[in-house]
C-alpha cells in the first residue's frame, strides 16, 4: 500500500503526472524491531492519532516549483495494522499547475483489511515529447478529475488480494496558439472507467522506512474509454519488486525492478513512462513514454544523525511499443544524490531533496516527502 504525500495524495493517483512519490503506509516497527512510541503507549483507535498540517515545497521536472498545503490525521486501529490516515490538501506551482483533493487510507482487523479512497481535481501544464523523448516537445494543458477506490484483504500476514476501481475525466489542450497534433486528438476529451485485481507479497520489516525484506506488487486494470473521437478499451499491468538489505545500523541498500505494459488504445498519459509508473528520477513525465517498460533502480540510504540522512542512487530503463522492440541502444540511465531530514520522532517520515543527472546531461531536482520506493 502507498501512503502518498498528504498534500499530494489525490494527485498521485489522479494522473501519472504526479512528481511526488511518497512512502508506504506508516508501519510501526522500527529498524531493530523494537516498539515505537505508539505501541509502548498501547494507544490505538481513531481517537489516539496525531494531527499534522504543513506547507510542503514542491520541485520536479514536470510541474516546476511551488507549494502544497496539506492537513492530515494519522492513527493506528490496533498494534498490528499499518497506520491509517485521512487528509486533504492543495498545491500550486510556478508553471500554472494546481490541484486539490481529499484522501483516506485505513487498515484494520490486525492488517487483514485495507480500504483507500481518493477524490481529486487538477489542472496541469507540461511538455509532452514524441518518440520516447527524442522528438519535439509539445506544450500541453490538461484538466482532470478522479474518484479512486481500493479494497484489499490479507490472506496471510504477508499476502494480500485486492480490487481497484476508478473513474477519470480529463480534457486536453495545447498550451499555446494552434491546435493539438492529430496524434493527440483521440486523447483530447476522455472519460475512463478502471477496474482490476491487485496482488501483494510484503515481507518488509517496516512499510515507511524498511531496512529488510521485500515487497512484490502486481496490479492489472481493464479500462473502458469514452471519447468523441475514438471509443475503445485497453489494459494496463504493472509489476514491481522492491528489496531492502541492511549493511549495518546506519546503511541500507534499496532496489526496485519494474515491468509495465499498456495495450494499444491506452491514452498517452496512461502509457508506461520512466518517472511515472516507477518513480524513476531524471526524466520528466511525457519525456520517455511507450506501451512497454522495464526499469531497475538501486539506492544506498545512509543515516548521519537521528534527523539527517543521505541517499545515492542510479537506474537504467527502457521503453518500446512492445518488450520485443526494446534494444540496448535505447536504454536510458540516470543517477544522483539526495538529502533526507526526519520530520517526526514518532513516524520515520523524511523530507527529501534529490538531484539527478540523466544520460542526456540534463539535471533535474526533486523536493517531496517520503522515499521514492
Amino acid at each position: 500500500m502507498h501512503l502518498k504525500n498528504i498534500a499530494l495524495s489525490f494527485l498521485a493517483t489522479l494522473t501519472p503526472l504526479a512528481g511526488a512519490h511518497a512512502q508506504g503506509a506508516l508501519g510501526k516497527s522500527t529498524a531493530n524491531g523494537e516498539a515505537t512510541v505508539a505501541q509502548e503507549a498501547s494507544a490505538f483507535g481513531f481517537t489516539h492519532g496525531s494531527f499534522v498540517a504543513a506547507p510542503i515545497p514542491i520541485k520536479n521536472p514536470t510541474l516546476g516549483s511551488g507549494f502544497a498545503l496539506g492537513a492530515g490525521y494519522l492513527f493506528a486501529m490496533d498494534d498490528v495494522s499499518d497506520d491509517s490516515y485521512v487528509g486533504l490538501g492543495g498545491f500550486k506551482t510556478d508553471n500554472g499547475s494546481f490541484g486539490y483533493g481529499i484522501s483516506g487510507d485505513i487498515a484494520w482487523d490486525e492488517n487483514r483489511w485495507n480500504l483507500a479512497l481518493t477524490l481529486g481535481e487538477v489542472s496541469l501544464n507540461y511538455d509532452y515529447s514524441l518518440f520516447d523523448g527524442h522528438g519535439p516537445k509539445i506544450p500541453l494543458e490538461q484538466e482532470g478529475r478522479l474518484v479512486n477506490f481500493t479494497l484489499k484483504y490479507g490472506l496471510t500476514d504477508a499476502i494480500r488480494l485486492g480490487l481497484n476501481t476508478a473513474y477519470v475525466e480529463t480534457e486536453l489542450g495545447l498550451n499555446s496558439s494552434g491546435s493539438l497534433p492529430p496524434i493527440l486528438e483521440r486523447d483530447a476529451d476522455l472519460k475512463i472507467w478502471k477496474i482490476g485485481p491487485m496482488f501483494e507479497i510484503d515481507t518488509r520489516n517496516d512499510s515507511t522506512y524498511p531496512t529488510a525484506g521485500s515487497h512484490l506488487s502486481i496490479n492489472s486494470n481493464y479500462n473502458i474509454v469514452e471519447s468523441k473521437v475514438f471509443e475503445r478499451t485497453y489494459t494496463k499491468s504493472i509489476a514491481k519488486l522492491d528489496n531492502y538489505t541492511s549493511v549495518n545500523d546506519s546503511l541500507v541498500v534499496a532496489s526496485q525492478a519494474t515491468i509495465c505494459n499498456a495495450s494499444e488504445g491506452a491514452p498517452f498519459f496512461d502509457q508506461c513512462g520512466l518517472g511515472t509508473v516507477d518513480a524513476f528520477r531524471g526524466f520528466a513525465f511525457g519525456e520517455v513514454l511507450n506501451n512497454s517498460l522495464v526499469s531497475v533502480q538501486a539506492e544506498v540510504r545512509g543515516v548521519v544523525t537521528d534527523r539527517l540522512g543521505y541517499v545515492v542512487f542510479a537506474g537504467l530503463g527502457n521503453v518500446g511499443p512492445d518488450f520485443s522492440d526494446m534494444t540496448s541502444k535505447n536504454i536510458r540511465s540516470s543517477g544522483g544524490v539526495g538529502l533526507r531530514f526526519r520530520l517526526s520522532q514518532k513516524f520515520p517520515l523524511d523530507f527529501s531533496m534529490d538531484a539527478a543527472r540523466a544520460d542526456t546531461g540534463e539535471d533535474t531536482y526533486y523536493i517531496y516527502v517520503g522515499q521514492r520506493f
Side-chain angles (χ1 to χ4, degrees):
M1 158 171 66
H2 293 287
L3 171 66
K4 299 159 183 79
N5 178 336
I6 292 173
L8 296 178
S9 58
F10 52 94
L11 178 61
T13 51
L14 175 58
T15 168
L17 298 179
H21 296 261
Q23 297 165 313
L26 294 175
K28 296 177 291 300
S29 58
T30 59
N32 58 11
E34 295 177 355
T36 62
V37 174
Q39 288 173 307
E40 291 170 352
S42 298
F44 302 105
F46 183 80
T47 59
H48 296 282
S50 297
F51 179 79
V52 293
I56 302 170
I58 304 170
K59 186 172 182 63
N60 69 68
T62 300
L63 302 180
S65 302
F67 273 92
L69 181 62
Y73 185 74
L74 308 177
F75 59 97
M77 296 301 293
D78 53 64
D79 62 343
V80 176
S81 297
D82 290 336
D83 281 6
S84 304
Y85 81 94
V86 291
L88 55 87
F91 80 95
K92 185 174 179 60
T93 67
D94 58 1
N95 77 349
S97 298
F98 65 90
Y100 52 88
I102 60 175
S103 184
D105 197 324
I106 301 174
W108 74 96
D109 192 15
E110 296 185 343
N111 231 23
R112 186 69 66 185
W113 290 95
N114 173 253
L115 183 150
L117 177 66
T118 298
L119 299 91
E121 182 169 357
V122 294
S123 177
L124 307 172
N125 298 306
Y126 61 95
D127 292 332
Y128 170 63
S129 183
L130 299 172
F131 312 118
D132 303 340
H134 299 292
K137 292 186 177 181
I138 303 172
L140 298 176
E141 56 182 7
Q142 184 173 14
E143 295 182 356
R145 291 155 294 282
L146 167 91
V147 178
N148 188 87
F149 175 83
T150 300
L151 180 66
K152 299 178 188 178
Y153 177 75
L155 300 176
T156 69
D157 291 342
I159 300 175
R160 282 182 176 177
L161 294 177
L163 181 70
N164 175 252
T165 62
Y167 171 71
V168 178
E169 292 182 355
T170 177
E171 297 88 39
L172 184 71
L174 201 63
N175 192 13
S176 64
S177 59
S179 58
L180 283 173
I183 194 173
L184 298 181
E185 279 290 344
R186 71 172 195 171
D187 299 334
D189 188 357
L190 304 180
K191 297 178 180 179
I192 307 174
W193 284 264
K194 297 171 173 281
I195 187 169
M198 309 175 71
F199 176 75
E200 290 183 343
I201 301 178
D202 191 352
T203 63
R204 294 172 296 175
N205 64 342
D206 184 271
S207 51
T208 302
Y209 193 88
T211 60
S214 62
H215 182 209
L216 171 67
S217 64
I218 302 172
N219 64 79
S220 182
N221 278 339
Y222 178 75
N223 307 274
I224 302 173
V225 181
E226 277 192 9
S227 169
K228 297 178 181 179
V229 178
F230 178 33
E231 295 189 0
R232 72 270 194 189
T233 63
Y234 68 97
T235 59
K236 183 179 179 181
S237 301
I238 303 173
K240 294 182 183 179
L241 177 61
D242 302 331
N243 188 73
Y244 307 89
T245 303
S246 292
V247 177
N248 52 46
D249 290 341
S250 61
L251 204 63
V252 176
V253 177
S255 62
Q256 182 183 92
T258 303
I259 298 175
C260 175
N261 180 258
S263 65
E264 291 296 330
F268 77 92
F269 53 82
D270 205 18
Q271 289 182 313
C272 303
L274 285 180
T276 58
V277 300
D278 57 2
F280 204 98
R281 283 156 290 194
F283 301 95
F285 171 80
E287 188 174 354
V288 185
L289 281 172
N290 216 310
N291 285 339
S292 299
L293 171 146
V294 176
S295 69
V296 291
Q297 304 174 72
E299 181 172 281
V300 176
R301 300 172 180 172
V303 176
V304 179
T305 68
D306 290 342
R307 292 281 189 176
L308 188 64
Y310 65 91
V311 299
V312 179
F313 58 88
L316 299 172
N318 203 344
V319 301
D322 195 84
F323 293 114
S324 60
D325 295 320
M326 296 180 184
T327 62
S328 59
K329 67 178 181 180
N330 291 327
I331 293 177
R332 311 301 297 269
S333 63
S334 70
V337 297
L339 293 175
R340 299 291 183 266
F341 181 78
R342 186 60 48 88
L343 295 174
S344 169
Q345 294 285 3
K346 184 176 181 179
F347 301 111
L349 192 64
D350 288 343
F351 179 79
S352 302
M353 297 179 289
D354 295 338
R357 169 162 290 191
D359 51 22
T360 59
E362 185 176 359
D363 296 327
T364 53
Y365 303 94
Y366 302 80
I367 299 176
Y368 55 98
V369 174
Q371 310 301 326
R372 298 297 282 190
F373 54 87

